[in-house]
């Protein structure tokens, strides 16, 4: 079981920016969702979803504005939104602490998994190279989490050649990105995508 904690590691620090809302109950244990604002080097912020057990926060002040650190894993689940199934991500907390200041590394993700969809290579209007990849990371009880990730530059060129089933390790940060979805000619909605922006990437040669 310990190995599964090593294949999917998330660590974030930031400010609580929403109240707790009840998510679900499992085996008599209640789980809650909230959002945390995590700073980027570029002076902007990522607002990320977190799921936490009531037992982890029983003696913690979860008021908005408080600074916290979270260790956990990225979890994915499907939910029907506007009649279509969408992949949603959350940081599932395994440990949560109050902190006084935010460090210089407030957003660190590492994943060890397999490419489960053909990578998509593209260039932006400004000429930046990007490859979108989807990584399946094994979880306990024969489950998997599916995590979208973005590679840039030379990592984009490298990962664009990956085939489905390729074993990879990635390191980066979890980011939030707003985009517009056209539902019809006169109905455009704003949505937020969550993904891992890759800073380091390795292809694992399985024996």
């Amino acid at each position: 079981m310990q190995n599964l904690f090593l294949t999917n590691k998330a660590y974030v620090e930031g400010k609580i920016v929403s109240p707790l809302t009840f998510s679900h109950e499992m085996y008599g244990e209640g789980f809650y969702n909230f959002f945390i604002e995590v700073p980027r080097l570029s002076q902007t912020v990522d607002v990320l979803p977190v799921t936490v057990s009531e037992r982890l926060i029983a003696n913690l002040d979860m008021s908005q504005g408080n600074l916290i650190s979270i260790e956990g894993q990225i979890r994915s689940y499907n939910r029907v939104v506007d009649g279509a199934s969408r992949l949603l991500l959350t940081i599932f907390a395994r440990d949560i602490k109050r902190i006084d200041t935010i460090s210089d590394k407030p957003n660190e993700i590492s994943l060890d998994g397999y490419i489960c969809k053909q990578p998509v290579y593209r260039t932006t209007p400004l000429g930046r190279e990007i490859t979108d990849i989807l990584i399946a990371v094994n979880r306990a009880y024969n489950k998997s989490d599916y995590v979208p990730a973005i590679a840039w530059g030379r990592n984009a060129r490298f990962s664009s050649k990956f085939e489905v089933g390729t074993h990879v390790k990635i390191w980066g940060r979890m980011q939030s990105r707003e985009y517009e979805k056209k539902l019809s000619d006169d109905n455009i909605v704003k949505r937020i995508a969550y993904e891992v922006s890759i800073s380091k990437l390795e292809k694992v040669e399985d024996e």
Side-chain angles (χ1 to χ4, degrees):
M1 186 75 78
Q2 183 61 31
N3 283 348
L4 294 176
F5 295 146
L6 299 177
T7 58
N8 184 340
K9 294 171 68 176
Y11 177 79
V12 293
E13 299 172 350
K15 180 170 67 177
I16 300 170
V17 291
S18 77
L20 294 170
T21 59
F22 181 77
S23 170
H24 63 281
E25 185 177 295
M26 188 174 289
Y27 305 118
E29 186 175 0
F31 291 86
Y32 289 82
N33 294 334
F34 67 96
F35 285 89
I36 182 174
E37 186 181 270
V38 181
R40 286 191 196 183
L41 289 174
S42 59
Q43 306 303 312
T44 56
V45 297
D46 292 296
V47 179
L48 305 176
V50 180
T51 303
V52 63
S53 164
E54 60 188 359
R55 299 176 190 179
L56 279 182
I57 54 175
N59 299 311
L60 207 59
D61 180 1
M62 295 293 292
S63 300
Q64 293 180 61
N66 285 346
L67 299 181
I68 56 171
S69 67
I70 297 167
E71 287 184 60
Q73 297 176 300
I74 296 180
R75 293 280 174 87
S76 71
Y77 56 98
N78 283 298
R79 176 170 290 174
V80 175
V81 180
D82 298 325
S85 181
R86 285 183 60 206
L87 181 74
L88 302 178
L89 298 187
T90 187
I91 298 172
F92 185 81
R94 295 198 168 278
D95 190 31
I96 187 166
K97 294 186 175 81
R98 277 291 305 274
I99 56 175
D100 295 322
T101 56
I102 294 175
S103 72
D104 58 354
K105 292 183 178 179
N107 189 340
E108 296 190 297
I109 306 294
S110 64
L111 300 172
D112 180 340
Y114 298 85
I115 301 294
C116 59
K117 187 178 178 182
Q118 192 63 41
V120 178
Y121 174 85
R122 55 196 168 91
T123 54
T124 69
L126 296 176
R128 290 193 78 183
E129 296 175 282
I130 297 174
T131 294
D132 296 301
I133 60 179
L134 186 65
I135 300 169
V137 183
N138 291 332
R139 204 202 300 175
Y141 310 113
N142 293 321
K143 292 185 177 179
S144 295
D145 290 296
Y146 299 92
V147 183
I150 290 185
W152 310 85
R154 61 191 182 90
N155 281 335
R157 291 193 295 276
F158 178 51
S159 59
S160 68
K161 305 291 194 294
F162 290 171
E163 296 177 351
V164 172
T166 300
H167 185 184
V168 295
K169 290 183 179 180
I170 67 168
W171 294 263
R173 60 180 174 78
M174 189 171 172
Q175 67 180 19
S176 58
R177 175 174 55 84
E178 193 174 87
Y179 69 100
E180 292 186 341
K181 174 82 171 179
K182 188 175 182 180
L183 300 180
S184 64
D185 285 342
D186 56 356
N187 188 6
I188 297 174
V189 295
K190 283 190 174 181
R191 286 187 175 160
I192 297 176
Y194 303 103
E195 62 217 352
V196 174
S197 178
I198 297 172
S199 57
K200 184 181 170 190
L201 171 72
E202 281 182 13
K203 182 179 179 182
V204 181
E205 301 294 346
D206 291 327
E207 295 180 357

